[in-house]
Amino acid sequence: MKILLASLCVISLLVILPSVFSASSSSEDFDFFYFVQQWPGSYCDTQKKCCYPTTGKPAADFGIHGLWPNYKDGTYPSNCDETKPFDKSTISDLITSMKKSWPTLACPSGSGEAFWEHEWEKHGTCSESVIDQHEYFQTALNLKQKTNLLGALTKAGINPDGKSYSLESIRDSIKESIGFTPWVECNRDGSGNSQLYQVYLCVDRSGSGLIECPVFPHGKCGAEIEFPSF
């Protein structure tokens, strides 16, 4: 009887343990990244408004919102590792670049640290199987420089001047410049006008290169959207 009970216990453990380890490893498993950049003018002219960073008004350029691990089915992991909190000291050499390229616009005004902490802990911890904390932020900075969204648009005559442009021309201009299809997210200004808000690009699982998106987020823009000044 004792032998039988011991055997049953072992069998139970063998059944339970794989599921435990699977849940643990899947928390950092993902298929690709969304690299998301936002236009500050469209963040600030909504009814919600915005607050400039403590360092002053950011440049009139797309700023990084985040680098987000995603699954091909459209879902995504989040808050994957509470044991690896944001550590500013690990990115001390990147702070100057991050204040410029990854500025906060949330109220009240801040240095950006709370924004970066949120992005790391919600999204970055889910990419630890591939890149560490320093590499996570460095990768996002490299991608911003590589993509140069504002340059791609202005080269095509699409300027942040408050005028309306076709969604198709915005998408095509970015694709022509970087070689991959973007997904454009719109929001509405204080008067209810649809406007260019964020641009999503997809990045391979290693974070080393752009790819065509396996799946796009939900939501849509009108055929004509504004590109507000900042």
Side-chain angles (χ1 to χ4, degrees):
M1 185 66 178
K2 289 182 179 179
I3 295 174
L4 176 60
L5 287 173
S7 298
L8 288 173
C9 288
V10 170
I11 292 171
S12 297
L13 283 171
L14 290 173
V15 170
I16 293 170
L17 285 175
S19 62
V20 172
F21 286 124
S22 175
S24 175
S25 62
S26 66
S27 68
E28 294 186 1
D29 188 27
F30 63 99
D31 298 318
F32 68 99
F33 289 100
Y34 279 132
F35 177 54
V36 187
Q37 297 176 75
Q38 63 184 9
W39 178 249
S42 299
Y43 184 102
C44 291
D45 71 356
T46 64
Q47 292 181 341
K48 186 179 178 181
K49 303 301 181 184
C50 71
C51 292
Y52 296 156
T54 50
T55 51
K57 183 180 179 180
D61 191 9
F62 284 88
I64 299 170
H65 185 168
L67 183 64
W68 304 341
N70 268 257
Y71 300 123
K72 290 180 180 178
D73 65 2
T75 61
Y76 62 91
S78 63
N79 303 103
C80 294
D81 190 353
E82 294 181 357
T83 68
K84 295 289 182 65
F86 175 72
D87 182 359
K88 183 179 177 180
S89 67
T90 66
I91 57 167
S92 58
D93 60 317
L94 304 178
I95 295 297
T96 299
S97 295
M98 288 176 63
K99 286 181 177 179
K100 178 182 177 182
S101 298
W102 203 326
T104 178
L105 291 169
C107 295
S109 295
S111 64
E113 188 173 336
F115 184 20
W116 308 329
E117 178 179 18
H118 169 78
E119 290 300 312
W120 166 254
E121 294 184 356
K122 181 176 181 180
H123 300 287
T125 54
C126 299
S127 64
E128 287 182 306
S129 58
V130 181
I131 51 179
D132 62 25
Q133 190 165 159
H134 186 276
E135 291 169 330
Y136 175 79
F137 289 105
Q138 182 69 73
T139 296
L141 291 170
N142 292 345
L143 287 167
K144 183 190 182 313
Q145 186 175 23
K146 180 178 181 179
T147 53
N148 187 16
L149 294 180
L150 185 59
L153 293 171
T154 56
K155 182 180 179 181
I158 300 171
N159 301 295
D161 50 14
K163 295 180 180 179
S164 292
Y165 298 91
S166 74
L167 176 62
E168 183 179 10
S169 67
I170 291 171
R171 269 197 309 243
D172 289 350
S173 299
I174 295 172
K175 183 174 182 178
E176 182 177 347
S177 176
I178 67 173
F180 296 92
T181 307
W183 188 78
V184 176
E185 179 183 358
C186 295
N187 67 356
R188 294 189 178 275
D189 64 17
S191 300
N193 300 307
S194 182
Q195 58 185 2
L196 171 58
Y197 174 39
Q198 297 196 128
V199 175
Y200 289 61
L201 294 166
C202 289
V203 183
D204 65 34
R205 193 174 181 278
S206 69
S208 61
L210 296 170
I211 58 172
E212 287 294 341
C213 290
V215 62
F216 286 126
H218 297 296
K220 60 182 180 180
C221 301
E224 297 280 327
I225 58 176
E226 292 184 1
F227 191 8
S229 59
F230 180 64

